[in-house]
């Protein structure tokens, strides 16, 4: 079974600074997809960014970017110019290409200090 | 466009009671799933469905039943509630394509006493 590990239960960053959240995963598959979701205190799950495993280029979405290292099975999220609204729990997720199931990590709670 | 709608938002049950958590989506998504979120444990997959009439077990299926009679609805049934089922439950759906992200409902907070 695939596993997703987020080794940082909590992280904090100063407003306007940059922070990187770590995610590693274990799989024997070659085709899969990776996602980062954000869960603010409202409890709503929001997609932040996605990465296709067959693409070597790292995905970017405005202030959010990933560092995807397929050989190392690592998928970290970098948040630049952190804002107070970025404070949330962040989940890394793995999607199995054929089965369609998503596996989530345990989450990282990000605090943004003003 | 309502997206994914879960009801109820909150529920308190006594041990042994049964209930159904409702989930409906209006985006014509083929894939639907149920997760539970416990403190410090992220989201764990309970059951999922890749289309009407097709369901399968996830990581933690015991104590829960599902059915998918229509594309829109995917109810989760607790057969005999136990305190270990106290959790926040999320329903999520997406298109069948693998790059499609999950769309989540707002969750149901269930407490079993």
């Amino acid at each position: 079974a695939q596993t997703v590990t987020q080794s940082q239960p909590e992280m904090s960053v100063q407003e306007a600074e940059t922070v990187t959240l770590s995610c590693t995963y274990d799989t024997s598959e070659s085709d899969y997809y990776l996602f980062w979701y954000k869960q603010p205190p409202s409890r709503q799950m929001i997609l932040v960014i996605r990465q296709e495993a067959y693409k070597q280029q790292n995905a970017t979405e405005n202030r959010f970017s990933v560092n995807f290292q397929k050989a190392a099975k690592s998928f970290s999220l970098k948040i630049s110019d952190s804002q107070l609204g970025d404070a949330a729990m962040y989940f890394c997720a793995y999607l199995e290409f054929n089965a369609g199931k998503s596996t989530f990590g345990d989450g990282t709670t990000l605090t943004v200090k003003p | 466009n309502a997206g994914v709608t879960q009801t109820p938002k909150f529920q308190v049950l006594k041990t042994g009671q049964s209930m159904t958590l409702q989930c409906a989506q209006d985006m014509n998504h083929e894939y639907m799933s149920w997760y539970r979120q416990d403190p410090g444990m992220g989201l764990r997959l309970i059951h999922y469905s890749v289309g009407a009439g097709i369901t399968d077990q996830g990581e933690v299926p015991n104590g829960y039943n599902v059915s998918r009679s229509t594309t829109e609805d995917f109810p989760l049934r607790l057969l005999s509630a136990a305190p270990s089922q106290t959790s926040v439950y999320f329903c999520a759906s997406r298109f069948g394509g693998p790059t499609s992200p999950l769309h989540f409902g707002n969750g149901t907070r269930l407490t079993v006493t």
Side-chain angles (χ1 to χ4, degrees):
Chain A
Q2 285 76 17
T3 58
V4 177
T5 302
Q6 293 180 248
S7 58
Q8 307 153 315
E10 297 178 349
M11 292 283 285
S12 66
V13 63
Q14 207 71 33
E15 194 176 5
E17 297 293 311
T18 296
V19 64
T20 298
L21 308 184
S22 300
C23 173
T24 58
Y25 57 94
D26 184 23
T27 183
S28 58
E29 303 294 327
S30 59
D31 289 328
Y32 52 88
Y33 300 82
L34 299 164
F35 302 83
W36 278 98
Y37 289 89
K38 169 185 177 181
Q39 186 181 42
S42 67
R43 213 167 67 190
Q44 180 66 40
M45 295 284 285
I46 304 165
L47 174 69
V48 175
I49 199 166
R50 79 187 83 177
Q51 174 81 41
E52 293 88 345
Y54 65 86
K55 288 187 177 179
Q56 294 186 337
Q57 185 174 7
N58 289 326
T60 61
E61 287 287 341
N62 300 315
R63 297 183 295 107
F64 299 88
S65 61
V66 299
N67 183 5
F68 174 50
Q69 302 289 330
K70 190 172 184 179
K73 297 179 182 175
S74 172
F75 182 60
S76 60
L77 174 69
K78 185 171 82 171
I79 306 174
S80 304
D81 186 26
S82 296
Q83 300 176 359
L84 296 178
D86 294 334
M89 179 167 280
Y90 287 81
F91 291 97
C92 177
Y94 167 98
L95 173 61
E96 190 173 326
F97 180 75
N98 289 319
K101 297 186 293 183
S102 293
T103 302
F104 286 77
D106 288 342
T108 296
T109 299
L110 178 66
T111 301
V112 181
K113 298 179 180 179
Chain B
N1 191 354
V4 179
T5 303
Q6 283 184 241
T7 55
K9 292 184 179 180
F10 302 93
Q11 183 69 51
V12 179
L13 291 178
K14 293 184 178 180
T15 297
Q17 288 184 317
S18 62
M19 79 159 296
T20 299
L21 306 184
Q22 301 292 343
C23 177
Q25 53 90 10
D26 61 358
M27 297 172 283
N28 203 30
H29 286 172
E30 297 97 331
Y31 179 90
M32 296 187 74
S33 54
W34 277 101
Y35 288 86
R36 59 178 288 173
Q37 183 179 21
D38 301 308
M41 297 190 72
L43 280 78
R44 291 184 292 169
L45 182 64
I46 304 172
H47 286 285
Y48 67 102
S49 168
V50 299
I54 306 169
T55 62
D56 206 347
Q57 295 181 349
E59 182 184 355
V60 288
N62 292 339
Y64 307 95
N65 274 357
V66 292
S67 60
R68 184 92 180 270
S69 57
T70 67
T71 299
E72 295 78 18
D73 300 299
F74 191 47
L76 178 72
R77 298 181 185 85
L78 280 70
L79 308 174
S80 178
S84 61
Q85 294 179 304
T86 294
S87 188
V88 178
Y89 292 84
F90 286 96
C91 179
S93 70
R94 64 176 179 83
F95 284 113
T99 60
S100 300
L102 287 168
H103 295 253
F104 286 84
N106 288 331
T108 296
R109 182 176 293 278
L110 175 67
T111 302
V112 182
T113 60

